Every structure is written in C-alpha cells, then in structure tokens.
Amino acid sequence: TLLFKMGYELIKTHDLVLCQPNCLEDMFGMIEKNIFFFRDEEKFEGPIVIGVDSIATLQTGAEDEGDYDDQHMGLTARIIHQGLRKVMGHVARKKIVLIFLNQYRYTMARYGDEFATTGGRGIPIRASLRIRLSNKKADIVMKGRTPVGVHTDAFMFKNKIAVPYKTARYFFNFKTGIDKISDLWESALTIGLLKATSGGNFKLNKDTIIRREQWEEYITKKFKSVEKCKESLLQQAIKRGFITPYK
C-alpha cells in the first residue's frame, strides 16, 4: 500500500506473456503472432509492450542446427534486417511498443567509438529511441555490506521525438526499480529549489532546512503523493526557465 501511495507501480504478473524462442526466426515469428493475437483476436485496446532480452544472446536457426565449426558470416545481421522489415509495419499500424535490449562490445577500431552493438545496423537504423545505459563500480549504493541499488547514466544516443544527446542520471533500486523519490530530489537540486549548506543539510526555503534522508517524509506530509510533488517541481522549473512549454 505504501508503494502505491508514493507512486510506485508494481508489475501485474497475470498481464505478462512469457515467450522463450530458440532462435532469431522464432523470435520474430512470436512477435508477429502476439501482435495479431492481442490486437485483433482479443480486441485488446490497452497499450502493448513487447520486450526482447536480448539480441546479443539469440542465435540463428542455421547455427542452432549446424555444427560448431560452421561459418555464418553476417547471418545474424541479415535475419534481423529481414525480420524488422516484416514486423515494423505491423508494429506501427497496431501501435505497439517494441523494445530490444542489446549489449555493447569492444571494437578493434582505433578511432571513433570504441563500442558497438551486435546484430548489425538494422535495429539502430529503425529505432526511434536508442538509450545507452552505463554505470561504474563506484555508483553502487551499499546499505552495510548489502548492495541496495546503483546510480545509472542513461545517454540518449538517438531520439526522433525529442532532443537527442542528453544524459539522465537516476537511482535504480534493486527492489522497486527506478527510485522516483531520488529523481525528485535531483530535480529539486537541478532547478535550484534545494541549496546545499554545511553539515550535509540543504536549504529548501527561508525557514526549512532538510537532509536527504528526510526528503521522502517531507513529500509525504506536504504533497501526499509523488505525482503532486512532480507537478509542483515542473511548475517551478518552467517559472525558473529550465523548461520551455510547447505552444
């Protein structure tokens, strides 16, 4: 109950469909079948999100059926290109959110970006959003000897619907996911609503001095919910010139 009051959304497992394809061809076939099943046969009107985890670990059908020493140069990239050409039209018309997870690999290039994604250029070319997630060992948050979360940098590598090449830093809690309380704290610091003073204290206004561990209690008492606090910070950001509303 407390999680819902503070704005956390728990995943309803009975709304999830788990598919475990053996190869890339099976993966694209499952995507196509699920799109038509939920959109046409069941007349499902709500949002549908299909996540693929992950492209780097899926093999092709030829690799699955062949021997270990068989050569399949570029086969994964060709299948991904062909599969995307087949399903992307259905994804757009049926209003589906399709998310591909991939891993970065080091390249042999001496110049430019030292990282590359597996599976060719099919997904990067057709993607509307590309987000690079990264963190370091120093970003891990410990509670005693137990890791409780990690600070993550999300770099917007490609963006067709907003301004690209921006970085968002957030705290990912291993129990609850992205921590909205920490996001609001960072937003308040960014727009200058919170100002650091001595002794780990922060000045909220002329009469209020607050510490980081008191932030959640303050939101609960003053705003009652995360959404109301978020709306208040949004108005402050517009007023201070950090956000320009679209007209």
Side-chain angles (χ1 to χ4, degrees):
T1 305
L2 178 61
L3 290 176
F4 281 111
K5 286 182 179 179
M6 296 308 299
Y8 293 105
E9 297 179 0
L10 302 180
I11 296 176
K12 299 177 182 178
T13 55
H14 60 269
D15 290 337
L16 297 178
V17 177
L18 177 63
C19 301
Q20 293 181 307
N22 294 322
C23 57
L24 282 168
E25 294 88 339
D26 290 347
M27 181 265 292
F28 282 111
M30 290 178 180
I31 290 175
E32 195 172 2
K33 289 179 181 178
N34 280 307
I35 288 174
F36 286 106
F37 179 75
F38 286 103
R39 271 290 183 254
D40 298 337
E41 295 186 19
E42 288 200 348
K43 306 298 181 182
F44 184 72
E45 301 294 338
I48 296 178
V49 179
I50 299 177
V52 180
D53 183 16
S54 70
I55 288 296
T57 58
L58 280 173
Q59 60 184 351
T60 63
E63 290 175 332
D64 187 25
E65 298 173 0
D67 295 329
Y68 290 103
D69 58 347
D70 290 345
Q71 299 295 320
H72 305 284
M73 298 298 295
L75 181 59
T76 299
R78 293 199 304 271
I79 290 176
I80 290 176
H81 270 281
Q82 294 169 359
L84 287 175
R85 284 197 297 268
K86 188 174 181 180
V87 303
M88 287 306 293
H90 302 309
V91 169
R93 286 191 296 271
K94 306 292 183 179
K95 298 181 180 180
I96 309 294
V97 177
L98 184 58
I99 301 174
F100 287 101
L101 301 182
N102 208 339
Q103 283 80 43
Y104 276 97
R105 301 287 187 264
Y106 282 102
T107 65
M108 300 296 292
R110 298 179 58 186
Y111 305 100
D113 196 352
E114 62 177 345
F115 296 104
T117 53
T118 60
R121 300 293 298 170
I123 296 176
I125 289 172
R126 290 172 176 80
S128 297
L129 296 172
R130 290 190 70 205
I131 305 174
R132 176 187 290 182
L133 302 178
S134 61
N135 51 61
K136 302 176 182 178
K137 187 175 180 181
D139 294 328
I140 300 175
V141 178
M142 306 291 291
K143 189 174 182 180
R145 296 185 177 182
T146 304
V148 296
V150 61
H151 291 286
T152 303
D153 291 328
F155 176 66
M156 192 63 66
F157 204 68
K158 177 182 179 181
N159 195 342
K160 288 185 177 180
I161 59 177
V163 180
Y165 305 116
K166 288 190 173 184
T167 301
R169 185 173 175 83
Y170 61 89
F171 175 65
F172 185 86
N173 190 301
F174 293 146
K175 289 185 178 180
T176 58
I178 296 177
D179 194 338
K180 296 184 179 181
I181 304 297
S182 296
D183 282 350
L184 295 175
W185 175 268
E186 295 294 336
S187 298
L189 285 173
T190 301
I191 66 177
L193 195 63
L194 282 171
K195 296 182 179 179
T197 61
S198 60
N201 295 319
F202 292 84
K203 188 176 181 180
L204 187 60
N205 50 49
K206 294 181 179 180
D207 303 321
T208 305
I209 301 296
I210 191 173
R211 298 180 67 87
R212 173 63 183 87
E213 55 268 19
Q214 300 170 335
W215 178 244
E216 185 171 346
E217 183 182 355
Y218 173 79
I219 293 176
T220 306
K221 289 182 178 180
K222 184 174 178 62
F223 297 99
K224 306 300 181 182
S225 70
V226 169
E227 294 303 324
K228 291 182 180 179
C229 181
K230 180 180 177 181
E231 184 64 28
S232 177
L233 289 177
L234 179 61
Q235 296 300 324
Q236 287 290 333
I238 294 174
K239 183 178 179 180
R240 294 166 183 251
F242 286 88
I243 297 177
T244 303
Y246 178 77
K247 298 181 180 179

